[in-house]
């Protein structure tokens, strides 16, 4: 009932652990696998080891969260060791990598291509790390085209491009990625950036001052962006933003997503959020006489 | 309270600072919070950082007891009464106190901060509490008065300046040879906890340990604090003897600020 196929990859359910949370190492991914995720995305790898921003890396507000981890990761060499053997996973594992320019992206994709990852995701959209994503100017049609084209030549694995729905031309950027050879679009990275000020000290909470906004507050923006993307794209869309419950995932599918990512929700419902959402989705599908979750994709357009 | 708002920083002022030892201070705050012994909070210094601490006092006014050991704690030590401090939490799973008639607590150094409220709670529940407290030297023994009220206190110092001369493992084994306990609780440096774990196995005592790992978010997202597949922030910081005996990483592996796999003691 929940099984889907995405870029030729079979998923037992459409809920994917999004990149950036619980993906530092295999320990983390195994935990999300146990929690019921249909696929697992690793935290983005850079060529060199990165320590990221100082804490606080997270700041909460009433309707969500901001984060600015700053792409901390142990670097490519360590990642190639860590993820060399993926046989402990019963669900597909997706790679993710980040770089400042196309040539570094090419080095990363070439190296990650040799491992057993089911797909490779390129986040060209992080709003809070100097030298990466939006702060490296990757959130443009030109840069997206250049990076995706260069990476496309280095791997036959499905290539997913993660965009940012904060950008007014998000649809054009997704189209550019599709034309350059992307196999799917992940929408969205965290929005903004935003800021939370601790008024008692009159200082921003986050050490980096600004951070990407996630959680229920951004969900309507993501739903609308998915709706817009579905009208224009031929390739599948992975929706990501503010999904806490099975009903939220169903909303994303109805807008046109083929699969749904979860990240911030783990802080609220724990790593078992995937199982919980699957149960909620199954129950809803039964109650409304759907036989498969795939029947929901894009129905809001009919 | 809504599920996101409960993670927002609660702001308070420092109402009292107690110099417990040359490099250990207790900060009492004008923040009310209930927390189980063993749970922790994230303390927030604007534009300095955020770090996990055990509560050494809960209720109307909470307190944290801090050993100076890096830039964050140095900044904390420079604060005066009336200074601002932020807190979020409480986080994690605390100790279980059910059905414990005779308890043995083993603390080394600042590890006592995670056990002081447990000792008091156990005594309140009617348990008889034995507490083994090991320090380098007599001047690092803190909470002596509070502990003596609720526990039979056995002190060990490395230099012999107070109590038994030696480490807590030797002292613990002596105590365990004489007495049986329903449960042992432990907090201290990981190498010490590994030795205590072995003794718990040898003497077949049920036990719980408060484990520390490098931590960024405290809400189960960043993954840095993993211990095998567990997360110290949400599955811990208290782990059972059985969990730690099954662990491949306890006493061996932790993850750094970048997420790199590190070995205790270097190499």
């Amino acid at each position: 009932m929940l099984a889907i196929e995405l870029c030729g990859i079979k998923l037992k359910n459409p809920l994917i652990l999004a990149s950036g949370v619980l993906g530092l190492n295999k320990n983390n991914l195994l935990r999300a696998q146990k929690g019921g995720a249909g696929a697992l995305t690793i935290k983005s790898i850079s060529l060199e080891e990165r320590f990221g921003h100082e804490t606080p890396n997270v700041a909460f507000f009433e309707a969500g969260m901001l984060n600015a981890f700053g792409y901390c990761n142990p670097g490519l060499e360590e990642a190639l060791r860590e993820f060399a053997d993926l046989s402990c996973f019963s669900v597909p594992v997706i790679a993710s990598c980040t770089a400042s320019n196309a040539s570094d992206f090419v080095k990363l994709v070439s190296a990650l291509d040799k491992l057993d990852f089911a797909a490779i995701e390129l986040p060209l959209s992080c709003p809070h790390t100097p030298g990466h994503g939006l702060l490296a100017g990757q959130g443009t049609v030109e840069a997206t085209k250049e990076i995706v084209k260069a990476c496309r030549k280095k791997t036959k694995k499905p290539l997913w491009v993660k965009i940012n729905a904060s950008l007014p031309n998000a649809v054009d950027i997704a189209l550019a990625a599709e034309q350059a050879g992307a196999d799917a679009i992940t929408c969205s990275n965290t929005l903004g950036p935003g800021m939370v000020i601790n008024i008692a000290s009159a200082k921003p909470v986050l050490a980096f001052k600004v951070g990407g906004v996630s959680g229920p507050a951004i969900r309507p923006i993501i739903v609308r962006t998915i709706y817009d993307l579905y009208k224009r794209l031929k390739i599948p869309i992975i929706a990501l933003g503010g999904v806490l419950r099975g009903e939220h995932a169903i909303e994303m599918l109805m807008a046109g997503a083929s699969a749904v990512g979860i990240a911030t929700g783990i802080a609220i419902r724990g790593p078992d959020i995937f199982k919980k959402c699957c149960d909620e989705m199954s129950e809803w599908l039964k109650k409304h006489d759907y036989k498969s979750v795939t029947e929901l994709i894009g129905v809001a357009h009919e | 309270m809504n599920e996101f708002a409960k993670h927002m920083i609660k702001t308070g002022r420092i109402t009292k600072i107690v110099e417990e030892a040359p490099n250990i201070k207790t900060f009492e705050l004008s923040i009310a919070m209930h927390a189980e012994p063993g749970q922790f909070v994230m303390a927030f210094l604007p534009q300095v950082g955020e770090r996990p601490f055990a509560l050494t006092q809960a209720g109307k006014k909470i307190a944290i007891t801090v050993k100076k050991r890096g830039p964050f704690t140095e900044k904390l030590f420079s604060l005066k009464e009336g200074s601002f401090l932020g807190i979020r939490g409480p986080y994690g799973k605390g100790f279980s106190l059910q059905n414990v008639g005779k308890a043995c607590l083993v603390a080394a150094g600042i590890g006592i901060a995670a056990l002081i409220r447990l000792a008091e709670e156990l005594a309140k529940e009617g348990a008889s509490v034995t507490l083994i407290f090991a320090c380098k030297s007599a001047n690092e023994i803190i909470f002596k008065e509070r502990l003596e009220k609720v526990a039979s206190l056995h002190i060990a110092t490395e230099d012999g300046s107070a109590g038994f001369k030696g480490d807590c493992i030797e002292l613990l084994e002596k105590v365990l040879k004489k007495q049986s306990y329903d449960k042992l609780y432990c907090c201290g440096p990981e190498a010490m906890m590994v030795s205590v774990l072995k003794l718990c196995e040898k003497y077949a005592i049920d036990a719980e340990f408060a484990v520390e790992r490098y931590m960024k978010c405290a809400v189960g997202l960043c993954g840095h604090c993993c211990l095998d597949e567990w997360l110290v922030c949400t599955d811990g910081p208290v782990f059972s003897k059985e969990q730690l005996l099954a662990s491949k990483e306890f006493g061996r592996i932790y993850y750094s600020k970048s997420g790199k796999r590190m070995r205790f003691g270097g190499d």
Side-chain angles (χ1 to χ4, degrees), chain A residues 22 31 49 55 62 82, chain B residues 2 51 221 228 235 258 261:
Chain A
L22 276 190
R31 185 57 200 269
E49 179 180 21
T55 55
E62 292 82 346
E82 177 70 18
Chain B
N2 118 1
R51 296 283 185 278
L221 294 179
D228 305 270
D235 299 313
S258 72
R261 177 176 280 119

Side-chain angles (χ1 to χ4, degrees), chain A residues 190-297:
Chain A
T190 50
L191 301 191
M195 181 183 281
V196 172
I197 291 173
N198 174 266
I199 60 169
S201 58
K203 296 263 183 1
V205 171
L206 293 169
F208 190 61
K209 297 187 175 71
V210 302
V213 186
S214 63
I218 73 165
R219 202 173 62 241
I221 299 173
I222 308 304
V223 172
R224 188 272 303 159
T225 312
I226 302 299
Y227 191 89
D228 289 348
L229 289 172
Y230 184 76
K231 281 192 282 196
R232 305 284 302 280
L233 289 176
K234 292 181 194 77
I235 55 176
I237 307 156
I238 300 137
L240 171 58
V243 170
L244 298 186
R245 300 188 50 84
E247 292 81 353
H248 304 157
I250 287 169
E251 187 184 9
M252 294 295 186
L253 296 170
M254 288 179 165
S258 295
V260 178
I262 291 181
T264 302
I266 293 171
I268 304 303
R269 301 184 81 189
D272 293 336
I273 185 171
F274 300 96
K275 265 185 216 156
K276 293 173 187 169
C277 286
C278 281
D279 289 347
E280 288 152 5
M281 288 174 84
S282 300
E283 200 176 310
W284 193 94
L285 290 170
K286 271 180 222 149
K287 203 168 155 189
H288 296 85
D289 294 326
Y290 286 96
K291 285 188 182 61
S292 162
V293 78
T294 56
E295 293 167 40
L296 295 172
I297 300 170

